[in-house]
């Protein structure tokens, strides 16, 4: 089983020294990946419901620092050797796929093939409206953007023609180091997110839910794979760790997960050290 830490760029990790210590400490104990989050900005007084916390609001309030999701990963790439660098998640329909393709390919080259592109369709309508991006077409834009990104990662220049994005044959270099391109992980905790992962994801990451919810969603994913003739084993499953308990890890492995992610072990040097020591004693050293 692989383990990852979420929120690697939020709040106190906007500070480069804290981020560096966090990343290097995680790598030293065998944590496989760091995952960053994204909001380009947060409209004050937003009414959309944040789906990952009780109360419907993002933790930390509207002014908590949320740096760009990719630049901190590039910074960490220069300070580490093995830990994977993931967006968890990038709000893909807010971005032009040509820039995403270039940025992720660059990160993959700089890191020696450690990039993961986790994507979501977004939930904050007010943010889309402020950016001038239609909220109601975000799912279709996401699907098309994934196809466009993969087109740009292929070996030979080719044209792309879609509803939202189109261009003639173009050259986009560098290409990702990883064979087949950077893995694209579909985030979301709904049935349609599971179906998206089956249709065009390299991975699936439902960011919230209980064990029975994941059983249901993975059943939806496998049923959709059977419908379209795809092997569900080709889709890597990432789940949030419910408890730092070897029994929970075993249950989630049986569900099909190969990676479990959790919140940061701490938010400064002392609490990171204490949190990692606790994680080792409660979980890592017992596996």
């Amino acid at each position: 089983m692989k383990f990852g830490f979420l929120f690697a760029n939020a709040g106190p990790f906007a500070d480069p020294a804290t981020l560096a210590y966090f990343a290097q400490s995680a790598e030293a104990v065998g944590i496989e990946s760091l995952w960053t989050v994204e909001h380009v900005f947060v409209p004050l007084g937003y009414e959309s419901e944040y789906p990952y916390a009780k109360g419907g609001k993002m933790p930390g309030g509207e002014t908590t620092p949320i740096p760009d999701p990719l630049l901190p990963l590039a910074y960490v790439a220069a300070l580490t050797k093995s830990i994977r660098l993931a967006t968890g998640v990038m709000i893909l329909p807010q971005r032009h796929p040509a820039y995403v393709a270039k940025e992720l390919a660059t990160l993959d080259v700089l890191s020696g093939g450690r990039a993961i592109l986790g994507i979501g369709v977004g939930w904050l309508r007010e943010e889309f409206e402020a950016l001038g991006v239609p909220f109601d077409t975000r799912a279709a834009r996401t699907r098309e953007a994934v196809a466009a990104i993969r087109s740009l990662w292929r070996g030979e220049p080719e044209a792309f023609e879609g509803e939202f994005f189109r261009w003639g044959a173009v050259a986009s270099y560098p290409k990702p180091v990883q064979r087949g391109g950077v893995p694209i992980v579909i985030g979301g905790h709904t049935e349609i997110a599971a179906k998206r992962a089956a249709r065009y994801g390299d991975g699936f990451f439902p960011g919230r839910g209980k064990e029975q919810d994941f059983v249901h969603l993975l059943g939806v994913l496998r049923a959709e794979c059977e419908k379209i003739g795809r092997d569900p084993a080709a889709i890597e499953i990432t789940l949030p760790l419910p408890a730092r308990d070897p029994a929970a890890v075993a249950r989630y492995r049986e569900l099909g997960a190969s990676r479990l992610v959790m919140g940061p072990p701490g938010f400064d040097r002392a609490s990171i050290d204490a949190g990692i020591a606790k994680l080792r004693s409660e979980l890592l050293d017992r596996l």
Side-chain angles (χ1 to χ4, degrees):
M1 181 65 70
K2 298 177 287 190
F3 296 96
F5 283 139
L6 296 164
F7 304 110
N9 63 323
F13 302 116
D15 173 66
T18 304
L19 172 60
Y21 192 78
F22 176 34
Q24 292 170 333
S25 299
E27 183 175 71
V29 295
I31 295 297
E32 179 257 356
S33 51
L34 293 179
W35 297 70
T36 58
V37 294
E38 174 172 46
H39 283 289
V40 67
F41 47 49
V42 179
L44 300 182
Y46 67 88
E47 296 182 358
S48 297
E49 182 179 355
Y50 177 67
Y52 299 104
K54 293 180 180 179
K57 297 296 182 182
M58 289 185 287
E62 297 163 330
T63 59
T64 294
I66 307 175
D68 177 88
L70 293 174
L71 290 175
L73 295 179
Y75 177 71
V76 167
L79 301 172
T80 58
K81 296 181 179 179
S82 62
I83 200 162
R84 301 209 66 180
L85 310 166
T87 58
V89 294
M90 176 186 286
I91 308 169
L92 185 58
Q94 293 180 352
R95 293 171 171 252
H96 195 288
Y99 282 97
V100 177
K102 175 61 65 72
E103 290 164 346
L104 267 295
T106 302
L107 177 63
D108 208 46
V109 170
L110 291 174
S111 66
R114 290 188 274 150
I116 299 172
L117 175 57
I119 63 168
V121 300
W123 60 272
L124 185 52
R125 178 184 286 271
E126 292 90 340
E127 184 179 25
F128 278 78
E129 291 172 347
L131 291 170
V133 178
F135 185 75
D136 293 334
T137 61
R138 67 196 190 283
R141 292 175 69 91
T142 297
R143 180 176 61 251
E144 188 173 300
V146 169
I149 290 166
R150 287 180 170 145
S151 171
L152 292 167
W153 284 344
R154 294 192 184 105
E156 298 298 326
E158 61 184 30
F160 184 84
E161 182 70 27
E163 178 183 357
F164 306 101
F165 310 106
R166 62 192 61 86
W167 50 76
V170 295
S172 180
Y173 293 90
K175 303 297 183 183
V177 172
Q178 297 177 77
R179 186 184 299 273
V182 174
I184 298 178
V185 176
I186 308 302
H189 55 278
T190 63
E191 289 189 1
I192 189 59
K195 291 178 180 180
R196 289 187 191 112
R199 294 168 188 165
Y200 56 81
D202 298 307
F204 179 41
F205 175 21
R208 77 168 195 193
K210 298 180 180 179
E211 189 170 332
Q212 60 265 33
D213 300 319
F214 300 140
V215 170
H216 174 70
L217 288 174
L218 295 180
V220 171
L221 180 146
R222 291 170 185 132
E224 187 69 13
C225 284
E226 182 177 1
K227 178 180 176 181
I228 64 176
R230 187 178 184 195
D231 181 1
I235 303 169
E236 184 175 50
I237 305 302
T238 299
L239 296 178
L241 181 64
R244 297 180 181 185
D245 172 16
V249 174
R251 291 197 310 273
Y252 277 51
R253 181 184 289 113
E254 290 178 0
L255 291 183
S258 61
R259 179 188 295 111
L260 299 175
V261 294
M262 64 200 96
F267 299 100
D268 56 31
R269 288 189 176 221
S271 61
I272 288 170
D273 287 345
I276 285 180
K278 185 177 181 181
L279 177 64
R280 291 188 63 178
S281 66
E282 292 180 348
L283 183 65
L284 300 180
D285 291 346
R286 297 171 60 191
L287 294 175

